[in-house]
Amino acid sequence: MKLNDTIVALATPSGAGAIAVIRVSGPDAIKIVAPLFKAKSKKDLAEQATHTIHLGNVMDGERTIDEVLASVFRAPKSYTGEETVELSCHGSPYIQQEIIQLLIRKGCRSAEAGEFTLRAFLNAKMDLSQAEAVADLINSENAASHQMAMQQMRGGFSNEIQKLREELLNFASLIELELDFAEEDVEFANRDQFRDLVSRIQTVLKRLIDSFATGNVLKNGIPVAIVGEPNVGKSTLLNSLLNEERAIVSDIAGTTRDTIEDEMSIGGVGFRFIDTAGIRETKDVVESIGIKKTFEKIGQAQVVVYLVDSSQIAVNRERLQEVRVEIEKIKNKFPQKPLLIIANKTDRLADEEIENLKAKLEDISSHAERAEFLLLSAKTNLGVEELKDRLLEFVNTGALRNSDTIVTNSRHYAALLKALEEINKVEDGLNAGLSGDLLAIDIRQALHHFGEITGEITNDDLLGNIFANFCIGK
Ligand SMILES: Nc1nc2c(c(=O)[nH]1)N(C=O)[C@@H](CNc1ccc(C(=O)N[C@@H](CCC(=O)O)C(=O)O)cc1)CN2
Ligand SMILES: Nc1nc2c(ncn2[C@@H]2O[C@H](COP(=O)(O)OP(=O)(O)OP(=O)(O)O)[C@@H](O)[C@H]2O)c(=O)[nH]1
């Protein structure tokens, strides 16, 4: 990828829109655009100050392509750190393409995916973890993932890593200085202070590493498994949660053969609902595969919603006993997983039957750890709001509320694990009274892994991988 090229790309989505933005960045951006831009004010675009906007026509020779607004950013004061011009044109795909083609004829090259942000990184406008956050920010679909990406883009995470890195670097230099004075047996790096620093770094690293589980779940949506016997109304519940008809609803037991996933945002938190086949002993081969999947999905879920048909268990003692056994099965297999037992189809019950059912469910849930129950009707939506509240309670008690840095990126997670491993070696070395030159080796390794996160240490393959996942124009 050549940095001295001037690149062009559409920054807005492809297709028709009210306005489209064409981005041009690179050493010749202003030089290339200015002659094509006939300003209303008559003043040459090349003469304009940075961060100014101008109305004018884009001309292909004598032909006017469009009336546009041109924004001028002068290096190094731009997103990329380079000379940049943005043209806001009318959003017809034809106009967009005419302008882009014109710019390419005049010397621009089509930008590759993420190339604007890559340039921002290479020009030190942001570090690597901030650049990665830009992609997360574009993809964020709920308040939680938005907040985490925003925090990372602003440099919260980078600063934390950078601070540790600098302190560690300081000690590494002192220790390495000792090596130059080996004969004199001096200690520039105070070992007690160093032990202190190592323990502080361990604490921070452990916190960041632990946050990944939360971060990953919040970024991808909290998985909730909806399970239960066939025909209890799982698909109907999913539909009423989603407010749309996504899963197949039918009154033939066993309709939901495969697992269906859908996402929605509740109170700013993303949830991923997994509608699964019921756990029924069956000889049907296709269905038993579904049941195996059900257990797999329960394993992956953070919360299990177990649905029962209250019109059945209210009148049928055998069915109630079966439900009790099923719940025991789930609890035996996954004792720590929060379980929410939902008695669906309560619209079919009379008031006194409901009271009766409540008592029975209270009894069942009191015998299982981390189990609660809720009466609901997926058909009339009664209790659906309460279900949403209950689901939120499961996460609101977690890490979301504090503004601590949350690690969401598996590349960062891997680097943090490796850094901790090296820091633990440094600690062992200190305790064993290891000589400075040997300590320095492990310290340098830890520093290397910190540098991987922020991008001080990088290579073309890694950068290629990261930025290839961006969209064109970003
Ligand atoms: N039209 C437009 N909208 C956009 C962007 C953009 O590039 N263009 N952005 C891009 O993704 C985001 C905003 N981010 C930006 C970040 C820095 C600068 C910038 O000009 N920075 C200069 C000057 C800062 C200043 O004025 O003090 C600098 O950092 O030196 C511009 C946009 C979202 N909206
Ligand atoms: N009266 C009443 N009927 C309901 C309610 N929820 C679902 N049903 C009906 O129960 C039947 C089965 O619903 P589904 O949502 O397909 O059940 P399921 O659990 O997904 O079934 P499988 O796909 O077979 O596992 C349908 O006829 C629904 O209309 C409810 O709250 N009240």
Side-chain angles (χ1 to χ4, degrees), residues 28 42 67 69 76 85 133 143 150 185 245 271 312:
D28 297 331
K42 301 281 192 296
E67 182 175 75
L69 280 173
V85 181
M150 222 32 205
D185 198 23
E245 301 286 314
F271 283 88
Q312 281 192 12

Side-chain angles (χ1 to χ4, degrees), residues 119-157:
R119 288 178 174 213
F121 164 68
L122 293 173
N123 290 321
K125 283 283 162 184
M126 56 181 77
D127 71 22
L128 198 52
S129 100
Q130 288 174 300
E132 287 171 301
V134 171
D136 289 344
L137 189 66
I138 293 173
N139 292 325
S140 68
E141 284 181 344
N142 59 59
S145 51
H146 167 252
Q147 187 195 313
M148 293 186 296
M150 222 32 205
Q151 159 93 349
Q152 191 179 319
M153 194 182 76
R154 287 205 192 110
F157 178 49

Side-chain angles (χ1 to χ4, degrees), residues 198-210:
V198 164
S199 124
R200 253 190 307 128
I201 293 179
Q202 283 169 326
T203 310
V204 175
L205 286 178
K206 279 180 195 150
R207 171 166 60 71
L208 291 172
I209 287 167
D210 285 346

Side-chain angles (χ1 to χ4, degrees), residues 355-371:
E355 287 311 312
N356 203 344
L357 181 66
K358 262 191 194 162
K360 288 173 180 167
L361 289 174
E362 240 156 48
D363 180 50
I364 292 182
S365 60
S366 69
H367 284 92
E369 214 183 316
R370 307 198 68 181

Side-chain angles (χ1 to χ4, degrees), residues 130-408:
Q130 288 174 300
E132 287 171 301
V134 171
D136 289 344
L137 189 66
I138 293 173
N139 292 325
S140 68
E141 284 181 344
N142 59 59
S145 51
H146 167 252
Q147 187 195 313
M148 293 186 296
M150 222 32 205
Q151 159 93 349
Q152 191 179 319
M153 194 182 76
R154 287 205 192 110
F157 178 49
S158 312
N159 287 341
E160 209 155 349
I161 295 296
Q162 208 57 39
K163 257 191 3 232
L164 297 181
R165 191 169 180 269
E166 271 159 30
E167 283 186 272
L168 199 55
L169 200 56
N170 193 19
F171 264 95
S173 318
L174 289 176
I175 282 192
E176 279 163 4
L177 197 61
E178 286 174 10
L179 304 182
D180 295 341
F181 294 85
E183 263 98 88
E184 285 144 70
D185 198 23
V186 286
E187 235 179 55
F188 291 117
N190 181 307
R191 294 298 189 266
D192 285 337
Q193 272 179 25
F194 190 40
R195 228 181 275 275
D196 219 50
L197 174 66
V198 164
S199 124
R200 253 190 307 128
I201 293 179
Q202 283 169 326
T203 310
V204 175
L205 286 178
K206 279 180 195 150
R207 171 166 60 71
L208 291 172
I209 287 167
D210 285 346
S211 79
F212 181 67
T214 317
N216 205 30
V217 156
L218 289 178
K219 186 168 161 184
N220 298 317
I222 292 151
V224 179
I226 305 184
V227 277
E229 295 289 305
N231 233 19
V232 293
K234 297 182 297 294
S235 308
T236 310
L237 176 64
L238 188 73
N239 286 338
S240 63
L241 279 167
L242 290 167
N243 281 324
E244 62 184 311
E245 301 286 314
R246 186 66 60 90
I248 317 154
V249 181
S250 87
D251 49 13
I252 305 159
T255 312
T256 311
R257 293 266 166 114
D258 212 343
T259 56
I260 296 174
E261 297 197 9
D262 236 317
E263 287 166 21
M264 70 182 294
S265 170
I266 300 175
V269 179
F271 283 88
R272 199 149 46 80
F273 289 96
I274 308 157
D275 180 12
T276 67
I279 314 171
R280 187 177 58 160
E281 303 296 342
T282 175
K283 296 204 169 57
D284 183 328
V285 181
V286 180
E287 217 180 293
S288 21
I289 293 170
I291 292 168
K292 186 159 167 273
K293 258 195 187 161
T294 298
F295 275 116
E296 267 171 40
K297 292 289 173 182
I298 292 178
Q300 294 160 13
Q302 291 260 306
V303 182
V304 181
V305 167
Y306 186 88
L307 220 63
V308 296
D309 181 340
S310 52
S311 63
Q312 281 192 12
I313 58 170
V315 295
N316 187 334
R317 295 189 61 167
E318 258 170 55
R319 281 295 297 127
L320 184 67
Q321 188 50 34
E322 279 170 26
V323 164
R324 208 187 275 273
V325 171
E326 293 296 340
I327 287 172
E328 260 169 35
K329 270 192 204 163
I330 295 180
K331 271 289 140 190
N332 281 337
K333 219 169 156 125
F334 308 99
Q336 282 312 309
K337 207 152 286 218
L339 175 70
L340 188 53
I341 304 160
I342 295 186
N344 187 31
K345 309 195 189 181
T346 50
D347 55 292
R348 286 188 176 165
L349 300 185
D351 288 353
E352 66 273 16
E353 284 177 313
I354 288 185
E355 287 311 312
N356 203 344
L357 181 66
K358 262 191 194 162
K360 288 173 180 167
L361 289 174
E362 240 156 48
D363 180 50
I364 292 182
S365 60
S366 69
H367 284 92
E369 214 183 316
R370 307 198 68 181
E372 300 171 21
F373 72 91
L374 175 67
L375 299 180
L376 183 140
S377 165
K379 199 165 211 169
T380 66
N381 277 338
L382 187 87
V384 171
E385 283 308 310
E386 162 128 34
L387 170 58
K388 291 181 180 176
D389 289 344
R390 294 267 190 107
L391 289 173
L392 269 180
E393 277 171 28
F394 287 115
V395 283
N396 274 351
T397 45
L400 229 205
R401 263 192 249 162
N402 60 46
S403 55
D404 275 354
T405 308
I406 297 176
V407 175
T408 58

